[in-house]
Amino acid sequence: MPGTAAEPIHDPADAAKETAAPARGKAGEARGKAAASGTSSAAARLAKLGLRRPVDLVLHLPMRYEDETTLAPIAEAIHRAGLGLPAQVEGEVISNEVTFRPRRQLVVKIADDSGELTLRFLNFYGNQTKQMAEGVRLRVRGEVRGGFFGAEMVHPTVRPVVPGEALPDRLTPVYPSTAGIPQAYLRKAIGGTLSRTPMPETLPRAVLDGPLARLHLRPLADCLRLLHAPSPQESEAALADRSHPAWQRIKFDELLAQQISLRRAHAARREKTAPTMPRREGGLLTRFLAALPFRLTGAQQRVVEEIAADMTRPHPMHRLLQGDVGSGKTIVAALAACQAIDAGYQAALMAPTEILAEQHYRKLSAWLEPLGVPVAWLAGSQKARDKREAAARVESGQAQLVIGTHALIQDTVRFAKLGLSVVDEQHRFGVAQRLALRGKAGAADTPDSAATAAETVPHQLMMSATPIPRTLAMTYYADLDVSVIDELPPGRTPIVTRLVNDERRDEVIGRIHHAAAEGRQVYWVCPLIEESEALQLQTAVETYETLVAALPDLRVGLVHGRLPPAEKAAVMDDFSANRMQVLVATTVIEVGVDVPNASLMVIEHAERFGLAQLHQLRGRVGRGSAESVCLLMYQAPLSPTARERLATMRETTDGFEIARRDLEIRGPGEFLGARQSGEAMLRFADLQTDAWLVEYAQEAAELMLARYPEAVEAHLSRWLGGREHYLKA
Ligand code: ADP
Ligand code: MG
């Protein structure tokens, strides 16, 4: 069979083969059999890569290519050695020996009319020695290097050929793979499947010629054939950076599948029932608004209306409230809670850190308990008895508002009648945690009503100060309605941000004095030490001691993650009440903490923090009317990206602008954090380079859902198979 003759003896693209080489000879044969024998073991191997259906194989696209379409004379390949370019040569084996110095290795020499070349293998199987016996003609691809014994290739790709055997006329694909699945095996499996699997067009003609006309999309089947086996004439750069028209088609189809399924998830949610919560005149909501010490900003009023309207409908709200740090989201959440309570339901508010949750608890109970609303507190650090007691009040329905951390979503916590769940700083939670709170609707339902209860879900409000750039919002959050608070409460003076070299620490301490003399308060944030929590703690303690010594007339406090919760709360209490002027803290104060009298923020080793984190930290000041200052202390020299981050912080306080630059510096994957982006389904499209395609995909998705239900099904099943559930959160 000519097919078998072309199987490579050694292919470095199979990294796994190198590492899995202990049983020489036998392993090789066993592998050969596995590839040739029963389809079930073949299927099992491919399933390891998630390749179950023929279409999965067809959509398993190369990461890169190798050009095996040309041959160079050995002398020329040697001449170009050192340029770092791979070359392909062909020659007859003139010697073959296993040497043991400096370690066991196989050294094969080949020759053509122009010269000789050494091939060196450090890992090899017994039968490879035979396959490269003297007189065998080999086609060899690799990089020629000037070795100790002259020009050589180490671990080249090698295959035996008959003299005059034709060269491939296409580039050779290299596929994403995993241990034990050689490239040759994948190429054969994919190549075969590709020729047997028709890939009919799923996009209706009217869509291709209508909203998508400007994209000039090529037929998908052609694009797949091209990408699996491009001709060497195709632009290598366009294939590599995936800007080639064939890649664009693939990315478009992938984005389209994503948009369609996000829209369907949205529609499915609308099918579900949620309690309707009409707004009652003279209810809690009205009394609360009347008691507020300030007036809502226009932006707050607008988002309150949007949320209130959602909650009057019999379908679950699924809304993201975005507003920059300090824009006043908490009050909006409190108003929504009032509406739920007015309608006879419970509301829950979950925050990612205990400090923040506790602050919410104190603030909201101060606002609402005087109006007769019982509030319960649930946190991990609570004494078992208190926790049980709180849980009992939640389960009996006695507690109308429940505030806490992740403790809220534990199995032991059951709500009598949860109608609204609010998740603060939602980006800090994983998808599963957010879903868990949503699933807590009516624990008091009896088993017989379980069927209907499953369909009834609470309204959900998510809040975040981390603005999501538009392109990300359109894709990852297409299933969310978004409200934006784009205005800060009046009377705030913009924060002035300065970069200060570490060496000017004394001046910084002088500024603390100055601020305290004016009755203001100060945060001092300790450096982030990612490698070691213990070290971070130690630094915090040292900084605290230094500041205590340097500022004998001021009260300095320390708060960090290891502090027992009661002490943590006591310190925060002292700081909130201005009994303490300086708070030395680790990043535990990063989100949410609200002490309006604090006006100076010092961040030590600011170069170690990410942009989003710096922005959040800086947002702890500038919450009152006094002019606030943020000093970013850094240690020179700065890396280029650190410099860029700090410059951004100095130039702008606009959270959206900062998020945009952050996205630019880090890319969307990191921006969202693995928990949110990891499960997202984009394999090929890149939201940074391909964002422009998203709008087309949205338009096409809408049109297809409205008019071409069969095309929708075909397209989704091709691209998603069973993976649709990833998008439901
Ligand atoms: P964030 O949006 O960062 O969660 P908060 O809800 O903590 O902001 O609000 C920041 C501060 O602004 C709080 O002290 C809050 O009481 C205050 N605040 C909120 N809304 C207004 C308003 N309309 N007028 C004046 N102060 C307000
Ligand atoms: Mg907040």
Side-chain angles (χ1 to χ4, degrees), residues 294-297 300 323-331 363 367 489-490 492 592 594 596 623:
F294 46 73
R295 289 185 42 170
L296 296 184
T297 62
Q300 281 171 321
D324 208 347
V325 195
S327 61
K329 295 183 290 294
T330 317
I331 189 80
K363 196 180 270 187
W367 280 339
R492 305 253 173 103
D594 181 43
R623 298 183 155 240

Short mmCIF file of all heavy atoms in Angstrom, two decimals, residues 294-297 300 323-331 363 367 489-490 492 592 594 596 623, ligand 1:
data_model
loop_
_atom_site.label_atom_id
_atom_site.label_comp_id
_atom_site.label_asym_id
_atom_site.label_seq_id
_atom_site.Cartn_x
_atom_site.Cartn_y
_atom_site.Cartn_z
N PHE A 294 -30.05 61.58 50.75
CA PHE A 294 -29.65 62.30 49.52
C PHE A 294 -30.65 61.99 48.41
O PHE A 294 -31.51 61.12 48.56
CB PHE A 294 -28.24 61.91 49.08
CG PHE A 294 -27.97 60.43 49.10
CD1 PHE A 294 -28.52 59.59 48.14
CD2 PHE A 294 -27.14 59.85 50.09
CE1 PHE A 294 -28.27 58.24 48.15
CE2 PHE A 294 -26.90 58.49 50.10
CZ PHE A 294 -27.46 57.69 49.13
N ARG A 295 -30.52 62.71 47.30
CA ARG A 295 -31.39 62.45 46.17
C ARG A 295 -30.66 61.56 45.17
O ARG A 295 -29.46 61.69 44.98
CB ARG A 295 -31.77 63.75 45.47
CG ARG A 295 -32.72 64.60 46.29
CD ARG A 295 -33.14 65.81 45.49
NE ARG A 295 -33.40 65.40 44.10
CZ ARG A 295 -33.95 66.21 43.21
NH1 ARG A 295 -34.28 67.43 43.52
NH2 ARG A 295 -34.15 65.78 41.97
N LEU A 296 -31.42 60.68 44.54
CA LEU A 296 -30.79 59.82 43.54
C LEU A 296 -30.31 60.67 42.37
O LEU A 296 -30.95 61.66 42.01
CB LEU A 296 -31.78 58.79 43.02
CG LEU A 296 -32.32 57.77 44.03
CD1 LEU A 296 -33.22 56.76 43.32
CD2 LEU A 296 -31.17 57.03 44.71
N THR A 297 -29.22 60.27 41.78
CA THR A 297 -28.77 60.96 40.58
C THR A 297 -29.71 60.56 39.43
O THR A 297 -30.44 59.57 39.54
CB THR A 297 -27.35 60.54 40.18
OG1 THR A 297 -27.35 59.13 39.90
CG2 THR A 297 -26.34 60.82 41.29
N GLN A 300 -29.08 57.07 38.44
CA GLN A 300 -29.63 56.10 39.40
C GLN A 300 -31.14 55.96 39.20
O GLN A 300 -31.68 54.86 39.18
CB GLN A 300 -29.33 56.53 40.84
CG GLN A 300 -27.92 56.21 41.28
CD GLN A 300 -27.59 56.85 42.62
OE1 GLN A 300 -27.97 57.99 42.89
NE2 GLN A 300 -26.86 56.13 43.46
N GLY A 323 -21.71 50.17 36.82
CA GLY A 323 -21.53 51.55 37.22
C GLY A 323 -20.16 51.64 37.81
O GLY A 323 -19.74 50.76 38.56
N ASP A 324 -19.46 52.69 37.46
CA ASP A 324 -18.09 52.80 37.91
C ASP A 324 -18.02 52.79 39.43
O ASP A 324 -19.02 53.01 40.12
CB ASP A 324 -17.48 54.09 37.35
CG ASP A 324 -15.97 53.95 37.16
OD1 ASP A 324 -15.39 52.96 37.70
OD2 ASP A 324 -15.38 54.80 36.49
N VAL A 325 -16.85 52.52 39.90
CA VAL A 325 -16.60 52.51 41.34
C VAL A 325 -17.13 53.82 41.95
O VAL A 325 -16.82 54.89 41.46
CB VAL A 325 -15.07 52.44 41.58
CG1 VAL A 325 -14.78 52.07 42.99
CG2 VAL A 325 -14.43 51.47 40.63
N GLY A 326 -17.95 53.69 42.97
CA GLY A 326 -18.45 54.87 43.66
C GLY A 326 -19.68 55.52 43.04
O GLY A 326 -20.12 56.58 43.47
N SER A 327 -20.24 54.89 42.02
CA SER A 327 -21.37 55.51 41.34
C SER A 327 -22.68 55.32 42.10
O SER A 327 -23.70 55.90 41.74
CB SER A 327 -21.49 54.97 39.91
OG SER A 327 -21.72 53.59 39.94
N GLY A 328 -22.67 54.50 43.14
CA GLY A 328 -23.87 54.35 43.96
C GLY A 328 -24.77 53.21 43.54
O GLY A 328 -25.97 53.38 43.35
N LYS A 329 -24.22 52.03 43.45
CA LYS A 329 -25.00 50.86 43.04
C LYS A 329 -25.76 50.25 44.23
O LYS A 329 -26.83 49.69 44.05
CB LYS A 329 -24.09 49.79 42.41
CG LYS A 329 -23.44 50.25 41.10
CD LYS A 329 -22.61 49.17 40.46
CE LYS A 329 -21.33 48.85 41.21
NZ LYS A 329 -20.34 49.95 41.24
N THR A 330 -25.17 50.37 45.43
CA THR A 330 -25.77 49.70 46.58
C THR A 330 -27.21 50.18 46.82
O THR A 330 -28.11 49.37 47.08
CB THR A 330 -24.94 49.98 47.85
OG1 THR A 330 -23.56 49.86 47.49
CG2 THR A 330 -25.26 49.00 48.94
N ILE A 331 -27.40 51.46 46.70
CA ILE A 331 -28.73 52.01 46.97
C ILE A 331 -29.74 51.48 45.94
O ILE A 331 -30.90 51.23 46.26
CB ILE A 331 -28.65 53.57 46.96
CG1 ILE A 331 -29.95 54.16 47.45
CG2 ILE A 331 -28.33 54.12 45.62
CD1 ILE A 331 -30.04 54.14 48.93
N LYS A 363 -24.91 48.75 56.49
CA LYS A 363 -25.54 49.88 55.84
C LYS A 363 -27.02 49.60 55.61
O LYS A 363 -27.88 50.41 55.94
CB LYS A 363 -24.83 50.13 54.51
CG LYS A 363 -25.11 51.48 53.93
CD LYS A 363 -24.38 51.68 52.61
CE LYS A 363 -23.00 52.27 52.83
NZ LYS A 363 -22.36 52.62 51.54
N TRP A 367 -30.46 51.25 57.24
CA TRP A 367 -31.49 51.91 56.43
C TRP A 367 -32.87 51.27 56.65
O TRP A 367 -33.87 51.94 56.75
CB TRP A 367 -31.15 51.78 54.93
CG TRP A 367 -30.13 52.76 54.44
CD1 TRP A 367 -29.77 53.95 55.01
CD2 TRP A 367 -29.32 52.62 53.25
NE1 TRP A 367 -28.80 54.57 54.26
CE2 TRP A 367 -28.51 53.78 53.17
CE3 TRP A 367 -29.22 51.65 52.26
CZ2 TRP A 367 -27.60 53.98 52.14
CZ3 TRP A 367 -28.33 51.85 51.23
CH2 TRP A 367 -27.51 53.00 51.17
N PRO A 489 -22.42 60.54 41.91
CA PRO A 489 -23.18 61.46 42.77
C PRO A 489 -22.52 62.83 42.78
O PRO A 489 -21.30 62.94 42.62
CB PRO A 489 -23.12 60.79 44.14
CG PRO A 489 -22.91 59.36 43.87
CD PRO A 489 -22.07 59.31 42.63
N PRO A 490 -23.32 63.86 42.96
CA PRO A 490 -22.77 65.22 42.87
C PRO A 490 -21.80 65.52 44.00
O PRO A 490 -21.79 64.84 45.02
CB PRO A 490 -24.03 66.11 43.00
CG PRO A 490 -25.04 65.25 43.70
CD PRO A 490 -24.75 63.85 43.28
N ARG A 492 -18.55 65.32 44.05
CA ARG A 492 -17.27 64.62 44.14
C ARG A 492 -16.22 65.42 43.37
O ARG A 492 -16.49 65.90 42.29
CB ARG A 492 -17.37 63.23 43.48
CG ARG A 492 -18.49 62.39 44.05
CD ARG A 492 -17.93 61.29 44.91
NE ARG A 492 -18.99 60.58 45.59
CZ ARG A 492 -19.43 59.40 45.21
NH1 ARG A 492 -18.90 58.80 44.16
NH2 ARG A 492 -20.39 58.80 45.87
N GLY A 592 -15.55 47.40 46.93
CA GLY A 592 -16.75 47.79 47.66
C GLY A 592 -16.60 48.66 48.89
O GLY A 592 -17.52 49.39 49.22
N ASP A 594 -16.52 51.28 51.56
CA ASP A 594 -17.02 52.64 51.39
C ASP A 594 -16.87 53.45 52.66
O ASP A 594 -17.66 53.33 53.58
CB ASP A 594 -18.50 52.55 50.97
CG ASP A 594 -19.10 53.92 50.74
OD1 ASP A 594 -18.42 54.76 50.11
OD2 ASP A 594 -20.23 54.16 51.19
N PRO A 596 -16.46 57.34 53.08
CA PRO A 596 -16.35 58.58 52.30
C PRO A 596 -15.33 59.58 52.84
O PRO A 596 -14.84 60.42 52.09
CB PRO A 596 -17.76 59.16 52.36
CG PRO A 596 -18.65 57.99 52.64
CD PRO A 596 -17.84 57.05 53.46
N ARG A 623 -14.82 59.46 47.46
CA ARG A 623 -16.23 59.17 47.69
C ARG A 623 -16.91 60.29 48.47
O ARG A 623 -18.11 60.22 48.70
CB ARG A 623 -16.35 57.86 48.46
CG ARG A 623 -15.79 56.74 47.65
CD ARG A 623 -15.94 55.40 48.31
NE ARG A 623 -15.93 54.42 47.24
CZ ARG A 623 -16.91 53.60 46.99
NH1 ARG A 623 -17.97 53.56 47.74
NH2 ARG A 623 -16.84 52.78 45.97
P1 ADP B 1 -20.54 51.50 44.27
O1 ADP B 1 -21.26 51.80 43.01
O2 ADP B 1 -19.05 51.57 44.09
O3 ADP B 1 -21.00 50.24 44.93
P2 ADP B 1 -21.65 52.71 46.62
O4 ADP B 1 -22.99 52.16 46.45
O5 ADP B 1 -20.76 52.11 47.64
O6 ADP B 1 -20.89 52.73 45.23
O7 ADP B 1 -21.81 54.27 46.84
C1 ADP B 1 -20.70 55.11 47.07
C2 ADP B 1 -21.06 56.23 48.05
O8 ADP B 1 -21.90 57.18 47.43
C3 ADP B 1 -21.80 55.74 49.25
O9 ADP B 1 -21.29 56.40 50.36
C4 ADP B 1 -23.22 56.11 48.99
O10 ADP B 1 -23.96 56.27 50.16
C5 ADP B 1 -23.06 57.39 48.24
N1 ADP B 1 -24.16 57.72 47.33
C6 ADP B 1 -24.82 56.86 46.54
N2 ADP B 1 -25.74 57.51 45.81
C7 ADP B 1 -25.65 58.80 46.14
C8 ADP B 1 -26.34 59.99 45.71
N3 ADP B 1 -27.30 59.96 44.80
N4 ADP B 1 -25.97 61.15 46.26
C9 ADP B 1 -24.98 61.21 47.18
N5 ADP B 1 -24.30 60.14 47.63
C10 ADP B 1 -24.63 58.95 47.11
#
